[in-house]
Amino acid sequence: MGRDDTTGGAYEVWDVGADADESVYECTRCGWSERAETSPGTCPKCGNDLRNTAMPIE
């Protein structure tokens, strides 16, 4: 479990390998995350862009 710095609430963290059918998409603003086969598009909590956590941040 992780902790959301904006609300103080706990959230679940998934470890997904590169060969998995699903990826974890995480909001770059509020930290919301979802496991899915394709990107959900935008964060349902704040409307910000999501990133695929399997891709390195440059």
Side-chain angles (χ1 to χ4, degrees):
M1 286 266 187
R3 183 144 313 273
D4 184 342
D5 291 335
T6 59
T7 65
Y11 62 90
E12 189 172 349
V13 177
W14 300 295
D15 183 15
V16 178
D19 59 344
D21 290 338
E22 295 181 334
S23 293
V24 175
Y25 294 90
E26 178 183 59
C27 177
T28 56
R29 180 184 298 153
C30 73
W32 176 89
S33 63
E34 178 177 319
R35 189 182 325 190
E37 289 184 19
T38 59
S39 176
T42 58
C43 176
K45 287 179 70 176
C46 70
N48 197 49
D49 291 333
L50 300 175
R51 72 174 191 93
N52 183 338
T53 59
M55 300 302 222
I57 299 174
E58 295 183 14

